[in-house]
Amino acid sequence: MEFLIFSKALYSTWVFYKPERLLFDAGEGVSTHLGNRIFAIKHIILTHGHVDHIAGLWGIVNTRNNAMGDREKPLNVIYPRGNRAIEKYLDFIVSANPDLRYQFTRIPVEEGEKFFLRRAGSFERYLLPFRTRHTRDELSFGYHIIEIRKRLKDEYRSYDHREIARLVKEKGRDEVTEVYESKVLTISGDSMAIPYEEMEGTETLIHECTFLDKSQRRIPNHVSIEELLPLVKEAKPRRLILYHISSRFEHRFRHYNEEIKRELDGSGVEVYLVHPSKIFKL
Ligand SMILES: [Zn+2]
Ligand SMILES: [Zn+2]
């Protein structure tokens, strides 16, 4: 399992990403659903301070302190620096839980500021926040997970194994290879469509899609499928996971699911929709 997601617009949203032990947002009910898995979380990454994305944080902090599990594992909360709602809520959580047995660290980040998730030998992955367009008075971020990788330099790509081995011996590995960065994951949080440059080249795009039908939207603070799909077709992520879908579309969920799959058929994009009242596993 890679992802465990619950997301129903206005009610609760959380995304557990197992490979990096991350939880993006912490909506209501998250600890109840994750159960013992809450002890596996290393970082909780908040996109913004709306209640449907943060209400479950207190539960996680408290349950990790009291339930059976490794109570000493540290826990970090990463969030947009200067987001007042989140800061006030964190102040409250800390004051309501003065005897935490583990280290609870608040890490405010700025747009474009790298936060390293892993640095083991040549394997490096970092988190990169970017600005999103949601509501006017709410500072909101989307995030990338970026991996630093190595590949053969262009001029050596046509060489066979033996020639490459000889070159490495002769000139050293660094001379033959180059470092590049690859987007492993991009998550929008609540937002209008994120810019094309942000979604371009990402392996997995998790994008909100509150409105599966644009005619239902009154205020431009969430994206609709009509705006998102043309961008996605161009940007061609390998996988697209649509979440934060409004429950008003629940009764015709199957219909929308089929429509969107048909629309992306042949584009090379694998698409999944997160049902607004079911846990999504991938
Ligand atoms: Zn929301
Ligand atoms: Zn929101």
Side-chain angles (χ1 to χ4, degrees):
M1 186 216 34
E2 203 177 342
F3 293 103
L4 211 53
I5 301 175
F6 181 80
S7 186
K8 175 171 173 166
L10 269 179
Y11 288 80
S12 173
T13 284
W14 50 265
V15 174
F16 179 57
Y17 179 53
K18 196 175 172 218
E20 293 303 325
R21 299 201 276 140
L22 300 183
L23 183 71
F24 288 104
D25 288 334
E28 176 195 23
V30 56
S31 20
T32 310
H33 284 297
L34 283 182
N36 233 13
R37 285 198 185 95
I38 59 165
F39 288 97
I41 301 166
K42 230 169 137 182
H43 311 289
I44 298 175
I45 296 151
L46 303 176
T47 58
H48 66 301
H50 286 162
V51 181
D52 55 322
H53 297 254
I54 64 171
L57 184 61
W58 189 20
I60 296 177
V61 170
N62 188 62
T63 310
R64 261 176 78 141
N65 210 36
N66 299 310
M68 293 299 283
D70 186 352
R71 295 172 181 160
E72 277 159 30
K73 269 192 198 162
L75 180 65
N76 295 326
V77 176
I78 296 166
Y79 63 95
R81 182 186 288 275
N83 184 303
R84 295 284 298 135
I86 295 176
E87 276 164 2
K88 278 190 174 172
Y89 184 43
L90 289 175
D91 289 345
F92 160 74
I93 290 174
V94 170
S95 65
N97 297 268
D99 303 317
L100 285 184
R101 293 176 236 225
Y102 57 91
Q103 205 185 323
F104 178 70
T105 312
R106 305 156 57 141
I107 306 176
V109 289
E110 313 225 359
E111 176 186 4
E113 181 182 340
K114 292 178 185 177
F115 176 83
F116 274 85
L117 299 165
R118 271 206 269 180
R119 263 177 155 160
S122 61
F123 188 78
E124 291 186 280
R125 272 186 176 188
Y126 65 85
L127 189 77
L128 189 69
F130 60 93
R131 272 297 268 277
T132 54
R133 291 178 296 146
H134 184 30
T135 50
R136 250 187 19 172
D137 355 315
E138 181 65 23
L139 176 62
S140 55
F141 283 173
Y143 294 91
H144 298 294
I145 292 177
I146 292 178
E147 191 173 302
I148 301 171
R149 294 177 179 163
K150 275 188 176 172
R151 66 180 164 209
L152 274 179
K153 280 184 183 164
D154 238 8
E155 61 261 43
Y156 303 126
R157 298 236 173 104
S158 58
Y159 286 36
D160 69 20
H161 286 307
R162 252 178 308 162
E163 284 172 312
I164 290 165
R166 183 181 53 78
L167 271 170
V168 169
K169 225 179 192 175
E170 219 174 87
K171 303 186 172 192
R173 191 165 290 274
D174 289 350
E175 183 51 41
V176 183
T177 55
E178 63 184 4
V179 172
Y180 71 103
E181 297 194 331
S182 184
K183 285 179 201 159
V184 174
L185 179 81
T186 300
I187 184 164
S188 68
D190 284 6
S191 178
M192 295 294 283
I194 62 167
Y196 174 80
E197 312 80 73
E198 304 293 357
M199 58 173 85
E200 187 188 18
T202 194
E203 283 167 31
T204 300
L205 174 63
I206 306 179
H207 204 295
E208 79 126 285
C209 195
T210 306
F211 296 96
L212 293 179
D213 181 342
K214 197 178 178 181
S215 66
Q216 304 273 322
R217 186 179 65 191
R218 265 168 234 112
I219 319 159
N221 52 1
H222 292 285
V223 80
S224 74
I225 194 72
E226 294 93 334
E227 293 157 338
L228 189 59
L229 285 191
L231 277 166
V232 166
K233 280 183 191 166
E234 276 286 301
K236 289 192 174 55
R238 196 165 57 76
R239 268 196 309 205
L240 170 68
I241 301 173
L242 298 172
Y243 79 138
H244 204 273
I245 292 171
S246 167
S247 54
R248 76 185 72 190
F249 303 107
E250 202 172 319
H251 67 294
R252 297 199 70 206
F253 187 80
R254 229 155 110 200
H255 158 80
Y256 287 111
N257 201 0
E258 282 163 14
E259 282 279 285
I260 294 166
K261 284 200 165 122
R262 197 170 316 135
E263 180 89 14
L264 285 174
D265 198 29
S267 67
V269 183
E270 208 178 293
V271 62
Y272 301 90
L273 270 72
V274 177
H275 189 287
S277 62
K278 289 180 187 160
I279 300 268
F280 172 86
K281 248 189 218 179
L282 188 63

